[in-house]
Amino acid sequence: MTHLPPPAEELRLLDTELRQLDARRALLLARRAWLITALRPPVAPPLPLPPVRRSETTAPRVQNVLLVLGGTLLTVAAIAFTLVSWGRMGIAGRALVLGAVTLAALGSPVLLLRHRLRSTAEAVAGLGLALTVLDVYALHEVAFPDTNGLGYAAVASALLAALWAAYGLALGGPRRPAGEPATPARLPLRLPLPTAMAAAQLPLILWAAAADAGAPAMTAALLVTAALDTAVALRVPVRSVCLVAAVGAYGLGGWGSFAAGWLTWTATGPSAVARAAALLLFAAAIALAAAWRLPDTNVATWVASAGGLLTVAALGGVPRSSLPGEWTVPGYLVCAVALLAAVRTRLPEPMRRGLALGAASVQAVAVVWALPPVAVVLLGPAAWMGRIWTGAPSTAREAVTTDGVPWPPYAATAPLVLVVVATVLAVAVRGTQWRPRATIGASALVWAAALVLPAALDIPYWAGMSAPGLTIVAALAYVARSAEPRPVLFLLALVSSVSLACLSLATEGTTLGVLAALTVLFAAVSGRSRLAPVAALTYATALACAVGASLGWPSQYIALLVLLVPVVAALLAARLADSPARVPLEVTGAVAGLLAVGLAVPDPPMLALVLALCAVIAAGTAAREDRRPAGYVATALFVLAAWVRLACWGVGSVEAYTLPVTVPALLVGAVARRKDPLTSSWTAYGAGLSVTLVPSLLTAWIDPDWPRPLLLGVAALTVTLVGARHRLRAPLVLGGGVLALDALHELAPYLVQMAGALPRWVPPALAGLVLLALGATYEQRIRDARRVREVLGRMS
């Protein structure tokens, strides 16, 4: 019997067989598809189509060009007929010709529209509209030749506008029942209605010109026309009419607003000011009404901003004629601030945003107007640096306008303007995003107002000094008590302190007191700003100079006082190792040290002392692990101090100036080689040895005496032996080279004497012998030179 596996094993075997059958079937199907593809005849590639010439324009465009050109030619012909051939016909003939042609031109579009020839109807209608203008002109020449031309043109333009509007509406205008399709008889014409709107711009303007009306009446005509345009643009649904009306509203409204503003600015009496203000308010009402109805929020915002500016110009111009000149800007500013009340109303958001933008623009212009006196107060005191301790001026304004600096006119109210804008920023701006910026701006404006106030009020000089002083104290106190850093307030206090320090240069006592107070104030807040210690040390330096000058000390003794500042800077930098103010402190101390050196230049002995003290300070700084490079500065300062002292003593020996450099350099090189044995002897000792050996050798060559060459030879021999003993290349080469040159210098006189005693043929003969010897032993000399080079190469 056949053995049957268990059911589970049998099921697994069946699944395996089925998978193998499926894989074999897929392989056979793929092979079959390939064979079918290979047995098909090859298909020829499609032939390329010939290029098709495209038209450069479309048929509707060609039709429109032809129609416009034809209408234009007919209009020109009609004008020529009216102007040239008019007098050859009688009254009846002329009326008959023009009337017939006009009626034909205006009636033809009806038939053309029924045949759906809209473009042709537009062209013919345009010809008819032009003929109506000729009819009006002809009527004036025949029936009303003595009437005023401008007045007749005003009436004619009004009648033509009405006629063209009625004609456009009669020929299928926009007024048809909603949902009713445009039938062939009621296809609307696009030309008559916008043309009528364009003609409607002229009647009021021409009427005002015909009546010889003044500027107010002409401005009123412009604004009334702009108001009508605005109403049409917002109400009429025809796009072309809205476009013409919008252009008229913006153009005539802008022209009328500018004219009304000029009338307000040039008005002298109360009645003239009131009329101009009424015109401006009318223009503002037009703009605000348009902003209310405009669907585009961005356009509505800008239009509302223009309305707000016109309102401020109207209301602010009323008190201008009756108040002094310095109150002009504050008057406009008050109106702008009052305009901000509209922001809290229920007006649409674009209008509120536009009104706020207009008020902010007026405030920005007011701040710019108040900046010139601020600049004079900040920059004017710098002139006292050339007039130190020449006497206090009488007033605060005189103190900031020295050397012919003019005080800006109408600047008495500048502090008021700055305070008002600062108050608005502090109160009106409440958003979380803009609140910090508004606070900074308000602080800056209040600071500027406090600086300008003494000069604006022209108070006495001593009282005027208190304003910047109190500003500095208040700002630094707020910086010290605030939990967060206040860099803007500190910067304002720093700028005020510079102005105050310059103002204090008028008298000796004021200078000392102000500089001492500034030093203490900035030192008190040194932990709140990285620039506070720098400012404190700067004013301490100025105080040291002022104290020395007050005591009558020469500049070289003042330098000793100034050196206290680098000492303090070095000590503070050591304590503030992790503070960001450390580097500014060290830089300030270095600048003070340079100032001390400059003050001590007239007295060389004192200059040597100051240089030595600066070297001590630098050496103390180099004692810190992270300030090791300061040791190079200390070494250089010590060397300079030694050189200056030697020059004061009248020492002329070169070695006296070079040995102070050589000894420290050799010590540093020895330390470097001990830390790193791989350091080259040229790096460690080359510079130190060259500083003394080379200048001494040059001096010995021109020295007629024997002690210097002898001592130089002994020193060079010592250096050579030390180099040979320790196998150091730099001492061996430098010492040996200097020793050889020194010996050559000593033997030179004898060689000269010998050369003079020998016959002239001896030197050439000796040279020849030397060349023969070298030639004979050339190969041996090469081996010796290589051996010497290898010996030197094995040295460090």
Side-chain angles (χ1 to χ4, degrees):
M1 295 178 62
T2 303
H3 174 70
L4 295 177
E9 182 66 20
E10 185 179 2
L11 180 61
R12 185 183 64 80
L13 293 174
L14 290 176
D15 290 339
T16 303
E17 292 293 336
L18 289 175
R19 283 196 298 269
Q20 292 177 354
L21 290 175
D22 291 339
R24 181 62 179 171
R25 187 174 185 277
L27 179 62
L28 293 175
L29 288 175
R31 181 63 180 174
R32 180 177 180 279
W34 181 85
L35 291 173
I36 292 174
T37 304
L39 292 175
R40 287 178 181 175
V43 180
L47 297 176
L49 297 177
V52 179
R53 186 184 301 273
R54 295 184 178 181
S55 302
E56 296 182 357
T57 184
T58 60
R61 292 183 180 180
V62 174
Q63 174 187 353
N64 293 334
V65 171
L66 294 177
L67 292 175
V68 171
L69 182 60
T72 303
L73 292 177
L74 289 176
T75 303
V76 171
I79 294 174
F81 169 77
T82 304
L83 297 178
V84 178
S85 302
W86 186 258
R88 300 177 185 177
M89 302 178 65
I91 297 177
R94 287 175 286 185
L96 182 61
V97 170
L98 276 179
V101 174
T102 303
L103 289 176
L106 294 177
S108 298
V110 178
L111 299 177
L112 294 173
L113 288 175
R114 289 180 180 177
H115 292 81
R116 305 186 68 82
L117 299 175
R118 179 174 178 175
S119 299
T120 306
E122 293 281 0
V124 176
L127 175 62
L129 298 180
L131 290 176
T132 56
V133 178
L134 295 178
D135 290 338
V136 171
Y137 170 74
L139 183 62
H140 176 266
E141 294 295 325
V142 173
F144 308 101
D146 298 330
T147 58
N148 187 355
L150 291 176
Y152 181 82
V155 176
S157 60
L159 293 176
L160 287 176
L163 175 64
W164 292 347
Y167 178 71
L169 293 174
L171 290 183
R175 294 185 179 276
R176 64 173 183 268
E180 178 184 344
T183 61
R186 294 184 59 83
L187 287 176
L189 290 178
R190 298 175 180 176
L191 187 60
L193 291 180
T195 307
M197 192 65 221
Q201 311 298 312
L202 302 176
L204 290 178
I205 300 174
L206 294 176
W207 169 79
D212 292 332
M218 179 61 73
T219 303
L222 291 171
L223 293 177
V224 170
T225 306
L228 296 176
D229 290 337
T230 303
V232 171
L234 295 175
R235 293 284 184 177
V236 176
V238 182
R239 184 179 180 82
S240 58
V241 176
C242 290
L243 180 60
V244 175
V247 172
Y250 283 112
L252 298 181
W255 184 10
S257 300
F258 178 78
W262 181 256
L263 290 175
T264 303
W265 188 257
T266 57
T268 55
S271 59
V273 172
R275 288 195 299 270
L279 292 173
L280 277 177
L281 287 176
F282 180 47
I286 297 173
L288 294 177
W292 186 291
R293 297 294 304 273
L294 281 172
D296 192 337
T297 57
N298 292 329
V299 178
T301 299
W302 289 108
V303 173
S305 175
L309 291 175
L310 292 173
T311 304
V312 172
L315 299 179
V318 174
R320 186 187 60 82
S321 60
S322 57
L323 293 177
E326 57 267 17
W327 290 97
T328 299
V329 174
Y332 286 106
L333 181 60
V334 170
C335 296
V337 174
L339 185 64
L340 287 176
V343 179
R344 302 297 179 185
T345 60
R346 295 185 178 180
L347 292 173
E349 176 63 24
M351 288 192 66
R352 289 189 281 124
R353 189 166 56 246
L355 292 176
L357 181 61
S361 301
V362 175
Q363 295 177 61
V365 173
V367 171
V368 172
W369 172 83
L371 288 182
V374 177
V376 171
V377 171
L378 287 178
L379 302 178
W384 285 101
M385 298 179 68
R387 304 171 56 189
I388 298 176
W389 298 351
T390 56
S394 58
T395 63
R397 184 178 299 179
E398 183 181 349
V400 299
T401 56
T402 55
D403 292 344
V405 178
W407 180 252
Y410 309 120
T413 55
L416 177 61
V417 169
L418 295 173
V419 170
V420 169
V421 177
T423 304
V424 172
L425 286 176
V427 175
V429 181
R430 299 182 180 275
T432 57
Q433 180 180 1
W434 293 95
R435 182 65 179 175
R437 303 177 186 178
T439 303
I440 293 174
S443 303
L445 292 176
V446 171
W447 165 78
L451 287 184
V452 176
L453 186 60
L457 298 179
D458 204 13
I459 61 178
Y461 167 74
W462 301 107
M465 291 284 291
S466 61
L470 294 176
T471 302
I472 296 169
V473 172
L476 293 181
Y478 189 80
V479 169
R481 297 183 59 185
S482 177
E484 299 179 357
R486 303 290 180 179
V488 176
L489 287 180
F490 179 81
L491 182 61
L492 296 179
L494 185 61
V495 174
S496 300
S497 66
V498 175
S499 177
L500 180 62
C502 293
L503 283 177
S504 68
L505 297 176
T507 60
E508 179 179 345
T510 307
T511 303
L512 296 175
V514 168
L515 292 178
L518 291 177
T519 302
V520 173
L521 286 174
F522 282 101
V525 295
S526 58
R528 305 297 299 170
S529 174
R530 68 175 64 183
L531 294 179
V534 176
L537 290 179
T538 302
Y539 287 122
T541 304
L543 178 62
C545 296
V547 170
S550 177
L551 296 176
W553 289 2
S555 61
Q556 59 268 23
Y557 294 106
I558 297 177
L560 297 177
L561 284 177
V562 175
L563 280 179
L564 295 175
V565 176
V567 173
V568 175
L571 295 176
L572 289 177
R575 292 180 61 87
L576 302 175
D578 298 331
S579 174
R582 182 181 60 171
V583 174
L585 277 174
E586 293 173 343
V587 172
T588 306
V591 172
L594 290 177
L595 176 61
V597 172
L599 292 174
V601 166
D603 189 358
M606 187 60 69
L607 176 60
L609 177 60
V610 170
L611 289 172
L613 293 176
C614 291
V616 172
I617 298 172
T621 302
R624 303 205 311 267
E625 185 66 28
D626 56 342
R627 288 294 183 265
R628 297 300 187 194
Y632 298 106
V633 179
T635 303
L637 290 174
F638 275 124
V639 171
L640 289 176
W643 286 357
V644 173
R645 175 54 62 184
L646 291 172
C648 294
W649 289 338
V651 176
S653 177
V654 176
E655 291 77 12
Y657 294 92
T658 58
L659 285 176
V661 180
T662 296
V663 174
L666 293 178
L667 292 177
V668 172
V671 173
R673 279 185 60 85
R674 176 169 295 183
K675 290 183 177 180
D676 186 6
L678 298 179
T679 303
S680 172
S681 62
W682 287 107
T683 303
Y685 307 118
L689 293 175
S690 300
V691 168
T692 295
L693 292 177
V694 175
S696 298
L697 178 62
L698 296 176
T699 307
W701 271 77
I702 60 176
D703 191 352
D705 298 329
W706 61 270
R708 181 185 296 275
L710 178 60
L711 295 176
L712 177 61
V714 173
L717 178 60
T718 304
V719 171
T720 304
L721 294 176
V722 171
R725 171 69 177 81
H726 295 282
R727 296 185 179 183
L728 299 176
R729 186 184 305 175
L732 182 62
V733 173
L734 289 175
V738 171
L739 181 61
L741 293 175
D742 186 62
L744 180 61
H745 171 265
E746 293 301 314
L747 294 176
Y750 303 102
L751 295 176
V752 172
Q753 292 178 3
M754 189 187 336
L758 292 175
R760 294 187 176 181
W761 57 268
V762 174
L766 292 176
L769 291 175
V770 169
L771 291 176
L772 288 175
L774 291 176
T777 61
Y778 180 73
E779 186 176 359
Q780 182 64 32
R781 300 285 78 78
I782 292 177
R783 286 197 296 268
D784 294 341
R786 289 176 178 173
R787 189 176 297 111
V788 172
R789 186 179 64 183
E790 292 174 358
V791 171
L792 291 176
R794 286 194 294 269
M795 295 182 179
S796 59

